Amino acid sequence: MDSAQHLATQFSPRPFSVNSALRTFSRHFGILVLLGMSIPGTSQTSILGFTPSAAAHEAEVESKFKAIPTPEEERHQHHIFTAEPHVAGSPRNNELARYIADQWRQEGLEDVVIRRYDVYSSNPKSTFLEMTAPVHYRASLREPPVLGDTDSKNKNISAAWSGMSISGEVTAPLVYAHSGNPEDYDFLRKQGIDVKGKIVLVRYSNPYSYRGFKALTAEREGVAALLIYSDPAEDGYKKGTVVPKGPWGPEYHIQRGAITYDFIVPGDPLTPGWASLPGAKRIPVEEAKSVPKIMAMPLSWHDAKPLLAHMDGPVAPDDWQGGLPIKYHLGGGRVRVHVKIVMDNATQPYYVVEGRIRGSQLPDEWVVLGNHRDAWVFGGVDPSSGTASMMELTRALGKLAKSGVRPRRTLVVCSWDGEEVGLTGSTEWGEQFANELRNKAVAYINVDEATSGPNFHGQAVASLSPMLLEATHSLKDPSGKSLYDAWKNSVTRERREAKSTEEVTDSNLADTRIGSGSDHTVFLNFVGMPVLGLGFEGPYGVYHSAYDDFFWMNHFGDPGYRYHTLMSQLWGVLALRLANADLLPFDFAGYASNIRQFVSEMTKGKDISQLDLKPVLDAIDEFEAAGKRLDESAARALASGAIDPVLAKTVNHGEMEVERNWLNPDGIPGRTWFKHMLYGARFTYAHLELPGLTEAVEKQDWSTAKQQADILLHALESNTRLVNDLNSNLSVAAPAAK
Ligand SMILES: [Zn+2]
């Protein structure tokens, strides 16, 4: 079976049958009317998706839950996870998987298993770099210890390496290509500079552009080896005080990272679209679309500076100049560099830890929570801040369960492996359980970098944005304000700094533009689940370096572990609300207006006279109207005090189906693994809305654009029908007052 056929068989959309749901519903209709007339609860508490009495109960459960996580425990867990480097596939990372499994069993989680996936992985044997002309310089490729940080002396800290680089050796002239984007190479061509067969030096860029895209661009240009360095203008002394006195990247810090082409297909490169279980079919590595065919290596500015300082050729343009006190040149052939990289790229096991708290009433409806475990070195922020928050979350949930307080739906918690290599563990797990998830999953909540500072950033598909906002009202930020107010303040400040004129409102506070680059990807783009992503951010210049560690967190990121604690609380409150809601709090009217915005942003300033989007815009209006009607009837049904469980189940399963209906089984053109028609990612990992349609419009490929618009139109129409059906079910249950 080839990969396309495999995808087709694994992807089995389960058409939602309203007829059968209605049949089930009508059998219980009599009971429902009686329940609907019962006296509503007396509490004033209101929570989206809850009846008044259920909301009052939920508030009690949440206050018990929120009292459990402590800063001391967060710090204790963080210390365990940051004690040693734990890159994907390493013995230490596997030991941490066993530790998590043991903890979860003790905490009272159920069905704890460690799942093994045999994936194509990447480890360095040795990396070497020297300048051979005009003077000799041997790069250190190391991050020396800094004062006060005992972990920085650890002998297990790796040298500079890029995940998924190929092995090889080359000596060639050096060219400087700014950020290494296609337009940078166009500029070099105009200057008469040929990069074929040469070694190219580029820098990490701001705004962030995924290094794998720099590698693919260099590979397409015929570059022999790519060196990517951290310029002080991006994350070093030009930004502020550096480690060990401040949070920014010091002279020697090296941003490791993979260059995997996971924007084409994530996960194990040899099993694109299916799980890497023992005995699974594997494609030859030569055919794997996500495996780079270029040598790459990251550098500190300490090692890049002598190279840059000796370069000749034209002076680089102003916006190519960086933060070092030298004139940057494009490279006229004077500097020659010798690179040797020996990798051990081969199939090896990755381990995903999975545990759950079984739901008391709806065990076959799942709320999935996850964080990756693997780190480039210690992973102080990325990801161990998230791992510590996850461990406090599970301790609190386990404690509640032991005291008899169980969520109604099942909570599934996962510790992913190999996120840093190619979103690998979550992708394999998501592919393995895709069909089950499409039947059972309510939502996925991802926490990767939980804490690098005090500024909250919340991402949500638009249907979940209101419930995220509501939850932040019920939590207290360490500043003393509600998390909601703190969030609004920091987003207002950031937009002002970015000179944005967009006023911060409840409808644009949450970031509903979701790209790739973390473990939510498989759940949103392949399985079709609504996702949330949470993180506290601040000045953070040591990403993927050895200095992202326990010392950094205790001095700069979150010295009191209060934001870690708040993250555990927020993560848990969201999970509990999704797990306990009577009716799932999905806002489809808000979703529709978000989609309308996506369309208007896509077409802004473009000539789209070749494409008639009126039917799509009309269908968005219809979907919005259906969503509003459903909101109203859901509110009435909830206010009535009780909802028949069979009706609730029907409505909830229908609501879950809406997100699945945004999937196009054929995927977006050229990247069939990515199936969501509203959300995708550019090769840089940047968010890309309406990906199939937008890419076609950008290429002015009007026949593909028309085809993509039709696919979107049909999805809008079927979701409108579905939401209308759910609405009629609910309105019969709780008719509007005359
Ligand atoms: Zn991460």
Side-chain angles (χ1 to χ4, degrees):
M1 209 175 359
D2 74 23
S3 66
Q5 280 167 332
H6 198 110
L7 275 169
T9 50
Q10 194 177 58
F11 185 87
S12 62
R14 189 177 53 88
F16 176 75
S17 162
V18 171
N19 279 342
S20 70
L22 279 173
R23 276 197 300 278
T24 328
F25 160 60
S26 55
R27 276 189 283 123
H28 294 263
F29 180 59
I31 306 168
L32 192 79
V33 172
L34 287 176
L35 284 172
M37 291 191 303
S38 68
I39 299 156
T42 48
S43 165
Q44 295 303 305
T45 314
S46 118
I47 301 176
L48 288 170
F50 288 78
T51 65
S53 61
H57 181 248
E58 173 69 14
E60 272 172 44
V61 169
E62 287 176 12
S63 72
K64 274 188 204 146
F65 164 78
K66 286 187 282 189
I68 302 172
T70 67
E72 295 69 33
E73 262 310 301
E74 299 276 356
R75 187 172 191 272
H76 169 68
Q77 292 295 342
H78 189 248
H79 206 176
I80 291 169
F81 284 95
T82 55
E84 285 291 330
H86 53 288
V87 78
S90 65
R92 174 62 181 174
N93 200 40
N94 300 342
E95 189 180 309
L96 288 173
R98 290 190 293 274
Y99 165 77
I100 291 173
D102 289 345
Q103 288 285 299
W104 283 357
R105 287 189 188 108
Q106 284 169 33
E107 288 165 3
L109 272 68
E110 290 132 341
D111 310 324
V112 177
V113 288
I114 299 182
R115 298 193 185 272
R116 171 178 169 164
Y117 301 99
D118 291 338
V119 304
Y120 185 75
S121 183
S122 180
N123 286 294
K125 278 190 168 158
S126 68
T127 50
F128 174 85
L129 173 74
E130 64 181 344
M131 173 162 58
T132 56
V135 296
H136 184 259
Y137 171 75
R138 179 167 173 180
S140 81
L141 307 182
R142 284 286 181 189
E143 298 171 286
V146 292
L147 202 65
D149 180 357
T150 49
D151 286 329
S152 67
K153 295 184 194 140
N154 191 306
K155 294 277 178 287
N156 297 322
I157 297 172
S158 63
W161 67 292
S162 297
M164 289 289 173
S165 165
I166 59 167
S167 300
E169 181 169 11
V170 64
T171 303
L174 186 70
V175 172
Y176 170 56
H178 190 225
S179 294
N181 289 325
E183 59 272 22
D184 297 326
Y185 289 96
D186 289 342
F187 177 80
L188 288 171
R189 245 185 302 279
K190 279 188 201 131
Q191 308 303 308
I193 294 172
D194 181 16
V195 297
K196 218 172 221 96
K198 296 193 180 147
I199 296 169
V200 166
L201 177 67
V202 303
R203 56 203 244 197
Y204 283 112
S205 36
N206 202 356
Y208 181 79
S209 165
Y210 173 51
R211 70 190 81 70
F213 180 54
K214 298 176 194 285
L216 177 63
T217 309
E219 184 184 310
R220 285 171 170 168
E221 295 284 348
V223 168
L226 180 70
L227 310 174
I228 316 174
Y229 82 100
S230 301
D231 194 282
E234 258 95 48
D235 61 4
Y237 62 76
K238 285 281 173 183
K239 289 286 191 177
T241 313
V242 304
V243 163
K245 295 226 153 61
W248 293 102
E251 179 172 354
Y252 285 90
H253 84 284
I254 298 166
Q255 185 194 129
R256 294 163 190 74
I259 57 165
T260 317
Y261 303 159
D262 55 9
F263 40 78
I264 298 172
V265 54
D268 174 21
L270 307 188
T271 63
W274 63 94
S276 318
L277 297 168
K281 177 196 149 70
R282 283 168 171 79
I283 62 172
V285 65
E286 302 74 44
E287 289 172 25
K289 289 201 174 72
S290 61
V291 174
K293 295 174 181 65
I294 186 169
M295 279 191 277
M297 191 194 291
L299 293 182
S300 64
W301 71 251
H302 173 86
D303 280 339
K305 190 179 171 193
L307 312 182
L308 283 163
H310 284 93
M311 282 173 83
D312 59 352
V315 172
D318 285 353
D319 58 337
W320 288 36
Q321 298 294 325
L324 295 169
I326 50 170
K327 262 274 173 267
Y328 292 51
H329 289 74
L330 301 179
R334 179 164 68 186
V335 170
R336 288 181 69 82
V337 173
H338 170 207
V339 180
K340 187 176 179 194
I341 298 173
V342 185
M343 301 293 293
D344 176 18
N345 293 352
T347 296
Q348 71 170 100
Y350 280 4
Y351 297 97
V352 168
V353 193
E354 175 194 322
R356 67 190 65 209
I357 293 185
R358 284 188 218 125
S360 59
Q361 293 171 27
L362 301 161
D364 285 334
E365 293 177 17
W366 298 356
V367 177
V368 185
L369 319 172
N371 155 265
H372 75 90
R373 186 178 68 253
D374 62 305
W376 284 108
V377 190
F378 301 103
V381 172
D382 181 11
S384 302
S385 62
T387 316
S389 288
M390 178 180 72
M391 296 312 285
E392 269 302 81
L393 168 74
T394 55
R395 185 175 73 86
L397 292 170
K399 202 167 171 184
L400 283 190
K402 280 183 183 168
S403 76
V405 183
R406 231 166 228 289
R408 295 175 64 227
R409 299 183 177 85
T410 294
L411 299 176
V412 180
V413 194
C414 292
S415 164
W416 312 120
D417 201 352
E419 185 271 353
E420 296 290 4
V421 183
L423 314 176
T424 312
S426 58
T427 301
E428 297 312 311
W429 191 88
E431 289 172 343
Q432 183 180 357
F433 297 106
N435 287 333
E436 195 169 2
L437 288 164
R438 286 184 190 126
N439 286 324
K440 298 180 176 174
V442 170
Y444 173 68
I445 313 179
N446 192 55
V447 177
D448 185 332
E449 300 172 7
T451 311
S452 61
N455 306 320
F456 180 64
H457 281 254
Q459 278 201 323
V461 296
S463 57
L464 285 177
S465 165
M467 73 91 60
L468 172 60
L469 257 69
E470 184 188 58
T472 60
H473 277 285
S474 72
L475 288 153
K476 211 163 159 192
D477 184 83
S479 65
K481 299 185 189 75
S482 72
L483 175 57
Y484 170 82
D485 286 331
W487 182 16
K488 204 166 176 178
N489 288 349
S490 68
V491 171
T492 305
R493 200 170 52 240
E494 282 162 16
R495 289 199 192 152
R496 205 184 305 129
E497 281 162 13
K499 305 209 163 31
S500 158
T501 50
E502 189 184 32
E503 196 200 336
V504 179
T505 65
D506 277 3
S507 60
N508 66 29
L509 183 53
D511 176 10
T512 59
R513 284 152 180 78
I514 303 172
S516 184
S518 194
D519 291 305
H520 61 278
T521 306
V522 68
F523 301 107
L524 180 64
N525 300 98
F526 187 82
V527 180
M529 285 162 63
V531 300
L532 289 156
L534 315 170
F536 289 94
E537 299 175 8
Y540 173 44
V542 295
Y543 169 70
H544 287 187
S545 79
Y547 307 115
D548 180 13
D549 65 359
F550 188 68
F551 172 91
W552 190 93
M553 187 60 73
N554 279 271
H555 287 80
F556 314 115
D558 186 18
Y561 285 83
R562 296 173 305 167
Y563 291 93
H564 280 76
T565 311
L566 179 54
M567 178 58 79
S568 300
Q569 293 170 329
L570 172 64
W571 201 353
V573 165
L574 290 166
L576 287 169
R577 288 185 182 187
L578 287 166
N580 291 334
D582 296 291
L583 295 178
L584 293 173
F586 294 164
D587 174 10
F588 298 125
Y591 214 155
S593 86
N594 214 239
I595 299 168
R596 188 183 296 116
Q597 215 177 329
F598 291 170
V599 173
S600 101
E601 282 165 17
M602 175 188 72
T603 55
K604 200 169 170 185
K606 289 197 192 78
D607 173 13
I608 53 146
S609 52
Q610 304 285 315
L611 183 66
D612 180 14
L613 286 174
K614 175 125 192 345
V616 167
L617 290 167
D618 289 347
I620 293 172
D621 292 347
E622 297 277 321
F623 180 52
E624 183 173 42
K628 278 185 182 149
R629 287 191 295 270
L630 181 63
D631 280 352
E632 284 158 18
S633 51
R636 272 197 304 277
L638 291 165
S640 75
I643 299 174
D644 172 76
V646 176
L647 171 66
K649 195 167 182 172
T650 302
V651 172
N652 289 333
H653 275 259
E655 289 203 19
M656 284 152 65
E657 209 56 32
V658 170
E659 198 69 37
R660 320 290 189 247
N661 285 341
W662 300 129
L663 295 187
N664 172 6
D666 295 334
I668 62 180
R671 293 192 278 165
T672 56
W673 187 92
F674 287 88
K675 300 183 185 305
H676 208 292
M677 57 186 89
L678 305 181
Y679 299 100
R682 296 194 184 269
F683 283 25
T684 57
Y685 275 175
H687 59 88
L688 171 65
E689 287 72 51
L690 310 171
L693 185 55
T694 303
E695 287 183 333
V697 166
E698 287 174 352
K699 282 186 221 149
Q700 305 196 346
D701 172 355
W702 302 115
S703 78
T704 305
K706 173 150 191 355
Q707 180 206 15
Q708 293 294 311
D710 281 345
I711 292 168
L712 177 60
L713 176 65
H714 287 129
L716 282 161
E717 286 169 349
S718 69
N719 269 337
T720 303
R721 274 195 303 278
L722 169 56
V723 171
N724 277 337
D725 285 336
L726 302 177
N727 177 48
S728 36
N729 293 4
L730 267 179
S731 346
V732 179
K738 290 275 150 59

